[in-house]
Amino acid sequence: MSVADAVRLALEPNLPAKLALLRGYANLSALARSLMPEVERLHGPGASLDAVVVALRRIRNRGGTAGFPDEVRDVLARSTVSVKTDISRISIARSRASVRVIIEVLRRSHEHLVHLTEGTESVTIAVDSEGTDVLNAVAGAAEVLERKDGLAAIIISSPAEIKRTPGCLIPIFVRLYEEGINVEDMTSSHTDTIILVDSRDAARAFSAIDDLIKSFRGVAGGRRRSRASPAPRP
């Protein structure tokens, strides 16, 4: 294993160090020293501190797509993102009444349901603009804990590999954090990830995630072309 590969694998599980490196405020020499034991385990005793620093500098210079595992980048590269606006969300106390409400929502307006989650003490329902009449009925039939209108749903549709690939959502939430976008709610359904944000942040959230996915596509495409290229003749 090369020093560069050993450094990447040693850095992979250390999210705080990875983010500090990618955002440019990590001390490369100090980070290299902290990674040396794991790098030497992976590469062998021949790795030098200078070589580790060089590998870290290359990861940093490659930008935001570097530092994440290849599997995560490949999954996100094959994902798509869409947005729904005019979303309303209501949280109600969990009870027998709330169960009846859920059944009524599914019966009357399942096509307008964006997501439904149940916790130990509450049930949260989000619907699009055409389902607000059902939401109003819910508000009158159960104990309302919170209601919020004017939301947008960012929907990320991914390949089936997302279910068995850890860490796929980390780059997305890091990017939203960097954009200063607050996540109002998040849920998943099979291979879809649904993130609720304020409608005023919808365009920025969509663009940030779309740009992230496109950047991963460029990296994944280059890696596939590299693997497919024939070896040069001696």
Side-chain angles (χ1 to χ4, degrees), residues 35 40 49 61 66 72 74 80 191 204 214 220 230:
L35 294 177
E40 289 181 336
L49 185 64
N61 292 342
V72 168
D74 287 339
T80 59
T191 58
R204 285 195 301 126
K214 288 176 179 175

Side-chain angles (χ1 to χ4, degrees), residues 43-213:
H43 171 76
S48 69
L49 185 64
D50 288 342
V52 174
V53 170
V54 169
L56 290 173
R57 185 176 293 115
R58 286 175 178 169
I59 292 173
R60 182 188 63 188
N61 292 342
R62 282 164 58 195
T65 61
F68 295 109
D70 289 345
E71 295 81 3
V72 168
R73 287 183 280 179
D74 287 339
V75 167
L76 290 180
R78 290 182 287 132
S79 299
T80 59
V81 60
S82 59
V83 61
K84 281 187 176 183
T85 56
D86 295 326
I87 303 297
S88 296
R89 182 194 64 194
I90 190 171
S91 294
I92 58 177
R94 180 177 173 178
S95 64
R96 290 182 180 178
S98 68
V99 172
R100 290 194 295 270
V101 166
I102 291 169
I103 294 173
E104 185 66 9
V105 167
L106 294 176
R107 185 184 70 82
R108 291 174 51 191
S109 197
H110 66 276
E111 69 272 21
H112 303 304
L113 187 68
V114 176
H115 85 92
L116 187 156
T117 55
E118 184 176 8
T120 58
E121 298 181 355
S122 64
V123 179
T124 297
I125 304 168
V127 298
D128 63 23
S129 58
E130 296 182 33
T132 52
D133 57 334
V134 176
L135 213 62
N136 293 332
V138 169
E143 180 187 350
V144 177
L145 302 176
E146 181 187 27
R147 175 167 177 169
K148 190 159 188 178
D149 301 306
L151 298 175
I154 310 297
I155 304 168
I156 303 150
S157 300
S158 302
E161 287 86 348
I162 194 172
K163 296 186 292 184
R164 55 180 180 271
T165 307
C168 289
L169 299 184
I170 291 176
I172 293 171
F173 284 104
V174 168
R175 182 58 61 90
L176 293 177
Y177 168 77
E178 290 174 342
E179 292 291 328
I181 296 172
N182 183 51
V183 174
E184 298 282 348
D185 205 348
M186 190 279 289
T187 188
S188 62
S189 177
H190 191 49
T191 58
D192 285 347
T193 301
I194 302 166
I195 300 173
L196 296 185
V197 301
D198 192 289
S199 287
R200 292 170 295 184
D201 295 326
R204 285 195 301 126
F206 174 85
S207 295
I209 296 174
D210 188 51
D211 289 346
L212 178 70
I213 289 173

